[in-house]
PDB file of all heavy atoms in Angstrom:
ATOM      1  N   SER A  97     -19.727 -73.240 -52.899  1.00 68.00           N
ATOM      2  CA  SER A  97     -19.852 -73.642 -51.499  1.00 68.00           C
ATOM      3  C   SER A  97     -20.994 -74.630 -51.269  1.00 68.00           C
ATOM      4  O   SER A  97     -21.173 -75.124 -50.169  1.00 68.00           O
ATOM      5  CB  SER A  97     -20.089 -72.403 -50.622  1.00 68.00           C
ATOM      6  OG  SER A  97     -21.336 -71.794 -50.941  1.00 68.00           O
ATOM      7  N   THR A  98     -21.776 -74.928 -52.319  1.00 67.00           N
ATOM      8  CA  THR A  98     -22.904 -75.858 -52.180  1.00 67.00           C
ATOM      9  C   THR A  98     -22.401 -77.230 -51.751  1.00 67.00           C
ATOM     10  O   THR A  98     -21.553 -77.816 -52.428  1.00 67.00           O
ATOM     11  CB  THR A  98     -23.660 -75.992 -53.518  1.00 67.00           C
ATOM     12  OG1 THR A  98     -24.123 -74.705 -53.924  1.00 67.00           O
ATOM     13  CG2 THR A  98     -24.846 -76.939 -53.369  1.00 67.00           C
ATOM     14  N   PRO A  99     -22.891 -77.757 -50.634  1.00 65.00           N
ATOM     15  CA  PRO A  99     -22.436 -79.075 -50.189  1.00 65.00           C
ATOM     16  C   PRO A  99     -22.893 -80.169 -51.142  1.00 65.00           C
ATOM     17  O   PRO A  99     -23.981 -80.096 -51.716  1.00 65.00           O
ATOM     18  CB  PRO A  99     -23.085 -79.231 -48.814  1.00 65.00           C
ATOM     19  CG  PRO A  99     -24.298 -78.357 -48.871  1.00 65.00           C
ATOM     20  CD  PRO A  99     -23.906 -77.184 -49.719  1.00 65.00           C
ATOM     21  N   GLY A 100     -22.061 -81.174 -51.325  1.00 67.00           N
ATOM     22  CA  GLY A 100     -22.418 -82.276 -52.216  1.00 67.00           C
ATOM     23  C   GLY A 100     -22.087 -83.603 -51.585  1.00 67.00           C
ATOM     24  O   GLY A 100     -21.883 -83.709 -50.379  1.00 67.00           O
ATOM     25  N   SER A 101     -22.038 -84.646 -52.421  1.00 72.00           N
ATOM     26  CA  SER A 101     -21.772 -85.987 -51.926  1.00 72.00           C
ATOM     27  C   SER A 101     -20.283 -86.235 -51.710  1.00 72.00           C
ATOM     28  O   SER A 101     -19.904 -87.239 -51.117  1.00 72.00           O
ATOM     29  CB  SER A 101     -22.303 -87.010 -52.929  1.00 72.00           C
ATOM     30  OG  SER A 101     -21.588 -86.898 -54.157  1.00 72.00           O
ATOM     31  N   GLY A 102     -19.451 -85.335 -52.234  1.00 93.00           N
ATOM     32  CA  GLY A 102     -18.010 -85.532 -52.123  1.00 93.00           C
ATOM     33  C   GLY A 102     -17.448 -86.484 -53.150  1.00 93.00           C
ATOM     34  O   GLY A 102     -16.341 -86.990 -53.000  1.00 93.00           O
ATOM     35  N   VAL A 103     -18.200 -86.733 -54.242  1.00 96.00           N
ATOM     36  CA  VAL A 103     -17.786 -87.676 -55.274  1.00 96.00           C
ATOM     37  C   VAL A 103     -17.457 -86.935 -56.573  1.00 96.00           C
ATOM     38  O   VAL A 103     -18.203 -86.053 -56.999  1.00 96.00           O
ATOM     39  CB  VAL A 103     -18.885 -88.722 -55.542  1.00 96.00           C
ATOM     40  CG1 VAL A 103     -18.519 -89.604 -56.728  1.00 96.00           C
ATOM     41  CG2 VAL A 103     -19.118 -89.572 -54.295  1.00 96.00           C
ATOM     42  N   LEU A 104     -16.348 -87.322 -57.189  1.00 97.00           N
ATOM     43  CA  LEU A 104     -15.982 -86.824 -58.511  1.00 97.00           C
ATOM     44  C   LEU A 104     -15.798 -88.018 -59.434  1.00 97.00           C
ATOM     45  O   LEU A 104     -15.010 -88.924 -59.146  1.00 97.00           O
ATOM     46  CB  LEU A 104     -14.676 -86.029 -58.458  1.00 97.00           C
ATOM     47  CG  LEU A 104     -14.011 -85.708 -59.810  1.00 97.00           C
ATOM     48  CD1 LEU A 104     -14.903 -84.834 -60.679  1.00 97.00           C
ATOM     49  CD2 LEU A 104     -12.648 -85.056 -59.600  1.00 97.00           C
ATOM     50  N   ILE A 105     -16.544 -88.051 -60.539  1.00 98.00           N
ATOM     51  CA  ILE A 105     -16.389 -89.080 -61.562  1.00 98.00           C
ATOM     52  C   ILE A 105     -15.535 -88.497 -62.682  1.00 98.00           C
ATOM     53  O   ILE A 105     -15.834 -87.414 -63.197  1.00 98.00           O
ATOM     54  CB  ILE A 105     -17.753 -89.537 -62.108  1.00 98.00           C
ATOM     55  CG1 ILE A 105     -18.600 -90.132 -60.980  1.00 98.00           C
ATOM     56  CG2 ILE A 105     -17.578 -90.541 -63.236  1.00 98.00           C
ATOM     57  CD1 ILE A 105     -20.023 -90.453 -61.387  1.00 98.00           C
ATOM     58  N   VAL A 106     -14.476 -89.198 -63.037  1.00 97.00           N
ATOM     59  CA  VAL A 106     -13.545 -88.715 -64.057  1.00 97.00           C
ATOM     60  C   VAL A 106     -13.696 -89.548 -65.325  1.00 97.00           C
ATOM     61  O   VAL A 106     -13.625 -90.780 -65.280  1.00 97.00           O
ATOM     62  CB  VAL A 106     -12.089 -88.789 -63.555  1.00 97.00           C
ATOM     63  CG1 VAL A 106     -11.124 -88.421 -64.671  1.00 97.00           C
ATOM     64  CG2 VAL A 106     -11.902 -87.873 -62.358  1.00 97.00           C
ATOM     65  N   ALA A 107     -13.918 -88.874 -66.449  1.00 96.00           N
ATOM     66  CA  ALA A 107     -14.044 -89.538 -67.751  1.00 96.00           C
ATOM     67  C   ALA A 107     -13.197 -88.772 -68.757  1.00 96.00           C
ATOM     68  O   ALA A 107     -13.705 -87.984 -69.546  1.00 96.00           O
ATOM     69  CB  ALA A 107     -15.504 -89.594 -68.182  1.00 96.00           C
TER      70      ALA A 107
END
Side-chain angles (χ1 to χ4, degrees):
S97 65
T98 302
S101 64
V103 173
L104 167 62
I105 299 173
V106 174

